[in-house]
Amino acid sequence: MAPTALENEDHIRDAAFNKALHGKSAEEKAGFRAMLKKDPVAQKAALEEYFKHWDNKEAGVETVEVREARKTEYATLTRHYYNLATDLYEYGWCASFHFCRFAYGEGFYQAIARHEHYLAHMMGLRDGMKVLDVGCGVGGPAREIAKFSGANIVGLNNNDYQIERAERYAVKENMTSQLAFTKGDFMVCACPEGSGIHTNLPKQMSFPPNVFDAVYAIEATVHAPSLEGVYSEIFRVLKPGGVFGVYEWLMTDKYNNDNPRHREIRLGIEQGDGISNMVKIDEALEAMKKAGFVLEHHEDLADREDARPWYYPLDGNLRMASSLGDVFTISRMTRPGRFAVHNSVGALERIGLLPQGTRKTADSLGVAADCLVAGGKEKLFTPMYLMVGRKPQA
């Protein structure tokens, strides 16, 4: 069930913190250059606010109360996670913050785009549709899906910095007539001015019912404290007959919460990826049904027989790379590559070029990478459980 009280939104507070921490770094071309422009005092505040949920709370001593505290503060936890991690994601991965399948000979960026195209294909997105991207990141998938399908897309995000990055990319690629981005909690969706969608409404007002032709989420709704809660809100804003497609992060049926190693893998993924409460596949399917959707398709795409597993970039197997460009991308995510980042970021912290806590964040992402690989190899976890559901006609 959804929590009885959602975390209160405060857009003025968040905008002020964004300005203090990030300044004008959203205008930088690359993630690493943006890291050099952060305010150390604000960075320390974000670091403390995020890691208070994880420090000294290992899997072996984790309690129900600890998990409930994370769920209660889900929006703040997610917002500060991306305040800390966004630039590292753009530096070490790309502007689309998700995993993908890999075909034989397929390059990293090509595979990322194909994963986005496949979701749009399964949903039947096409020219002129009004589509909501729930948890849009810096807009990488929205840009790609808009180009592929011709749809008009609104990206929803509770992190001001990521919205600024997404808007910058949209301007750069001359896509502002097809894309809009708005600040909001995806448990309480909000509508942007200038999006062509109920533009007479105030910016922070919740979407009225029956607004969008389609809604998608790519590895984003895992941040919600309740899948039933976020799926229900998505159901509300869809038009009758509208479609919802999602790639969900889930623990599989093989996950056993009484197994200490399984809990350690799950907690490592949650800590390194800003997740308050990850659940199993059956709970997600039940949440879709309780929200009111008629499931048209559901499948764990990680179970497909692909040339290379979805986690191979994190596993650091350079022999699986299909090009020299991929070798460069993937080498940053190998253990030696992460060790080099650990040392270089630590050195830059010591001389004051990077704010304190950057290395701690990078190390947390490294722990998550190891747990993601372990979860993938042992079939305990999937980042690509595909569900496509439709809102019945009135």
Side-chain angles (χ1 to χ4, degrees), residues 136-186:
C136 64
V138 297
R143 293 190 298 277
E144 188 63 38
I145 289 174
K147 295 171 190 174
F148 175 77
S149 68
N152 299 309
I153 299 177
V154 174
L156 182 69
N157 196 318
N158 84 336
N159 183 278
D160 299 76
Y161 179 63
Q162 288 196 339
I163 292 170
E164 289 179 354
R165 296 290 286 175
E167 290 174 338
R168 176 187 175 277
Y169 287 127
V171 170
K172 178 182 177 182
E173 298 187 25
N174 194 29
M175 297 186 70
T176 53
S177 64
Q178 200 176 355
L179 298 173
F181 299 95
T182 187
K183 164 82 170 179
D185 179 348
F186 56 27

Side-chain angles (χ1 to χ4, degrees), residues 33-93:
R33 288 176 60 181
M35 281 188 266
L36 301 174
K37 302 291 182 68
K38 308 304 178 186
D39 177 77
V41 175
Q43 174 95 352
K44 184 174 183 290
L47 194 80
E48 292 175 351
E49 187 66 29
Y50 180 71
F51 280 100
K52 75 180 185 182
H53 292 289
W54 312 102
D55 287 344
N56 303 313
K57 296 171 183 175
E58 292 80 8
V61 297
E62 185 186 47
T63 65
V64 173
E65 290 75 20
V66 166
R67 293 190 69 76
E68 286 301 317
R70 291 176 195 145
K71 290 168 66 176
T72 299
E73 298 186 23
Y74 69 96
T76 297
L77 183 149
T78 303
R79 185 171 58 255
H80 281 310
Y81 171 75
Y82 284 112
N83 276 331
L84 297 168
T86 294
D87 296 323
L88 289 164
Y89 271 39
E90 288 201 64
Y91 164 74
W93 194 256

Side-chain angles (χ1 to χ4, degrees), residues 89-217:
Y89 271 39
E90 288 201 64
Y91 164 74
W93 194 256
C94 67
S96 290
F97 300 168
H98 62 79
F99 292 104
C100 63
R101 298 167 56 208
F102 292 94
Y104 176 79
E106 188 174 41
F108 177 80
Y109 296 106
Q110 181 184 1
I112 288 284
R114 181 170 64 88
H115 198 60
E116 296 160 358
H117 296 172
Y118 186 72
L119 181 62
H121 160 71
M122 291 295 289
M123 295 173 62
L125 301 188
R126 60 188 184 275
D127 280 350
M129 290 179 72
K130 294 179 179 179
V131 179
L132 180 65
D133 178 339
V134 175
C136 64
V138 297
R143 293 190 298 277
E144 188 63 38
I145 289 174
K147 295 171 190 174
F148 175 77
S149 68
N152 299 309
I153 299 177
V154 174
L156 182 69
N157 196 318
N158 84 336
N159 183 278
D160 299 76
Y161 179 63
Q162 288 196 339
I163 292 170
E164 289 179 354
R165 296 290 286 175
E167 290 174 338
R168 176 187 175 277
Y169 287 127
V171 170
K172 178 182 177 182
E173 298 187 25
N174 194 29
M175 297 186 70
T176 53
S177 64
Q178 200 176 355
L179 298 173
F181 299 95
T182 187
K183 164 82 170 179
D185 179 348
F186 56 27
M187 298 292 285
V188 189
C189 295
C191 184
E193 295 174 321
S195 66
I197 302 171
H198 288 261
T199 52
N200 59 311
L201 296 175
K203 185 173 181 180
Q204 293 189 39
M205 184 174 179
S206 295
F207 285 128
N210 310 323
V211 176
F212 293 100
D213 299 303
V215 179
Y216 69 83

Side-chain angles (χ1 to χ4, degrees), residues 140-367:
R143 293 190 298 277
E144 188 63 38
I145 289 174
K147 295 171 190 174
F148 175 77
S149 68
N152 299 309
I153 299 177
V154 174
L156 182 69
N157 196 318
N158 84 336
N159 183 278
D160 299 76
Y161 179 63
Q162 288 196 339
I163 292 170
E164 289 179 354
R165 296 290 286 175
E167 290 174 338
R168 176 187 175 277
Y169 287 127
V171 170
K172 178 182 177 182
E173 298 187 25
N174 194 29
M175 297 186 70
T176 53
S177 64
Q178 200 176 355
L179 298 173
F181 299 95
T182 187
K183 164 82 170 179
D185 179 348
F186 56 27
M187 298 292 285
V188 189
C189 295
C191 184
E193 295 174 321
S195 66
I197 302 171
H198 288 261
T199 52
N200 59 311
L201 296 175
K203 185 173 181 180
Q204 293 189 39
M205 184 174 179
S206 295
F207 285 128
N210 310 323
V211 176
F212 293 100
D213 299 303
V215 179
Y216 69 83
I218 299 180
E219 303 184 19
T221 45
V222 67
H223 293 294
S226 158
L227 290 183
E228 182 186 343
V230 68
Y231 294 168
S232 296
E233 183 65 5
I234 289 167
F235 185 90
R236 185 184 69 81
V237 302
L238 268 174
K239 295 177 182 178
V243 63
F244 170 46
V246 57
Y247 288 136
E248 195 64 84
W249 279 33
L250 296 166
M251 305 309 292
T252 70
D253 293 339
K254 292 185 178 181
Y255 175 80
N256 178 4
N257 201 54
D258 293 328
N259 184 313
R261 173 167 169 76
H262 289 192
R263 287 202 310 274
E264 184 178 353
I265 289 171
R266 188 257 304 154
L267 187 62
I269 294 171
E270 290 176 334
Q271 175 179 332
D273 292 289
I275 300 166
S276 65
N277 182 53
M278 194 155 50
V279 301
K280 295 176 72 172
I281 290 171
D282 58 351
E283 185 169 331
L285 292 171
E286 186 65 18
M288 285 284 282
K289 294 174 183 177
K290 286 184 175 179
F293 288 105
V294 177
L295 271 171
E296 296 184 341
H297 184 86
H298 66 93
E299 174 189 6
D300 186 358
L301 295 181
D303 284 341
R304 294 276 187 100
E305 294 294 331
D306 291 319
R308 294 164 290 173
W310 62 265
Y311 53 79
Y312 105 84
L314 298 181
D315 201 21
N317 189 343
L318 296 177
R319 290 175 296 179
M320 290 188 178
S322 62
S323 68
L324 286 177
D326 282 1
V327 169
F328 176 73
T329 299
I330 294 162
S331 64
R332 289 176 291 185
M333 294 176 274
T334 63
R335 286 194 175 187
R338 283 185 265 140
F339 181 74
V341 169
H342 171 89
N343 287 331
S344 61
V345 168
L348 291 172
E349 280 188 3
R350 286 192 294 274
I351 62 177
L353 288 179
L354 285 177
Q356 294 294 317
T358 305
R359 182 167 67 175
K360 183 174 183 177
T361 303
D363 289 349
S364 180
L365 294 176
V367 170

